[in-house]
Amino acid sequence: MFEHAAWNGDASEARPKALIVDWGGVLTSPLAAALDGWYAAEGIDAAGYELAIRDFHDAGLAALSVFDPIAALERGELRVEHFEQALAERLTRYCGVEVQAQGLIGRMFAGFASAPAMINVVRQAKTAGLHTALLSNSWGNEYLRDDWDQLFDAVVISGEVGMRKPEPEIYLHTLGLLGCAPPEAVFVDDLERNVRAAAALGIIGVHHRSYAETIAELEALFEVDLRAESPLDAPLGGD
């Protein structure tokens, strides 16, 4: 289901005119699948990984604006190698296996594969005259951007702009690049908290769970055919 909140300004059109999409888990295979492959390759215990992440990120401390390493990494405020070292130490402690710090993030996300059907949705939206943007939180990931000029009017990577989802500023920054008011944009993300943050600003939020569900919602919102007989698999790389 898509969701939106009231907006006090005036939108130029009743129908939305911009599509903003997340990268990992929307234009790629799910994050859980990538992590499962990494767990198996390095002997990582999933429960141990969760404990390591919790050791990093305490919700109570974050609410008090105490330094949050994950948020800092996503904003580009913390060097990747420092984060990898700290995470490797915690994984070694909680999982009982020696985890190499160098290249850790790359290994974690190596299992991401492009999602051709969802990439094609963006391509069809662009062809139909809609504005398109990528809005991604990054852990210092490497992105393959060969086709991004053809797919997106704007690309917003958290570590490159010093903001992160679900902070309101990054959504407003993206809207500004597209020249859109909040009700004129639809935002698709696989994390519900990011969708709710967008909806709180008046953006139409779509929680991505599957291609079939998402494309049905997007076609209803835009009143445009976003399918093609043979979706093209364009390379993408790089939350």
Side-chain angles (χ1 to χ4, degrees):
M1 293 290 294
F2 62 83
E3 50 186 285
H4 62 87
W7 183 67
N8 296 325
D10 294 323
S12 58
E13 299 177 10
R15 235 185 306 149
K17 63 181 184 181
L19 174 62
I20 305 170
V21 296
D22 178 36
W23 182 80
V26 175
L27 299 185
T28 76
S29 54
L31 172 61
L35 289 179
D36 284 344
W38 170 62
Y39 296 153
E42 301 204 19
I44 299 293
D45 176 69
Y49 171 73
E50 292 296 332
L51 288 172
I53 292 297
R54 277 186 213 159
D55 192 0
F56 254 137
H57 177 72
D58 182 280
L61 293 177
L64 295 173
S65 299
V66 177
F67 180 71
D68 179 346
I70 293 176
L73 177 68
E74 290 179 339
R75 293 193 202 100
E77 298 166 348
L78 181 64
R79 292 172 64 100
V80 169
E81 54 267 34
H82 292 167
F83 182 88
E84 289 179 324
Q85 184 62 49
L87 180 56
E89 291 171 358
R90 285 163 173 78
L91 288 169
T92 298
R93 183 189 321 148
Y94 287 112
C95 299
V97 295
E98 190 70 29
V99 177
Q100 182 181 353
Q102 186 174 3
L104 175 56
I105 289 174
R107 301 196 308 275
M108 287 173 63
F109 299 120
F112 268 146
S114 64
M118 282 304 301
I119 294 168
N120 185 69
V121 169
V122 179
R123 184 177 289 108
Q124 294 296 101
K126 190 83 159 56
T127 300
L130 299 171
H131 300 304
T132 58
L134 180 74
L135 174 54
S136 175
N137 278 358
S138 172
W139 280 24
N141 310 58
E142 292 294 328
Y143 295 84
L144 299 176
R145 311 185 188 210
D146 294 346
D147 61 343
W148 283 12
D149 288 344
Q150 289 73 47
L151 283 175
F152 304 113
D153 297 302
V155 171
V156 179
I157 307 296
S158 63
E160 297 175 4
V161 297
M163 300 173 275
R164 66 187 282 266
K165 297 175 292 185
E167 296 168 350
E169 294 80 8
I170 199 166
Y171 300 100
L172 298 175
H173 175 73
T174 305
L175 292 173
L177 294 177
L178 295 176
C180 293
E184 296 175 321
V186 177
F187 172 64
V188 182
D189 200 295
D190 62 319
L191 296 182
E192 186 174 4
R193 67 176 179 268
N194 293 337
V195 174
R196 290 191 177 278
L201 296 171
I203 300 167
I204 303 167
V206 174
H207 184 195
H208 177 69
R209 300 178 183 87
S210 70
Y211 166 77
E213 184 177 341
T214 296
I215 195 170
E217 293 181 6
L218 292 178
E219 288 185 332
L221 288 164
F222 289 113
E223 299 180 22
V224 170
D225 182 3
L226 297 175
R227 304 168 198 253
E229 293 182 3
S230 300
L232 299 177
D233 185 1
L236 283 175
D239 151 55

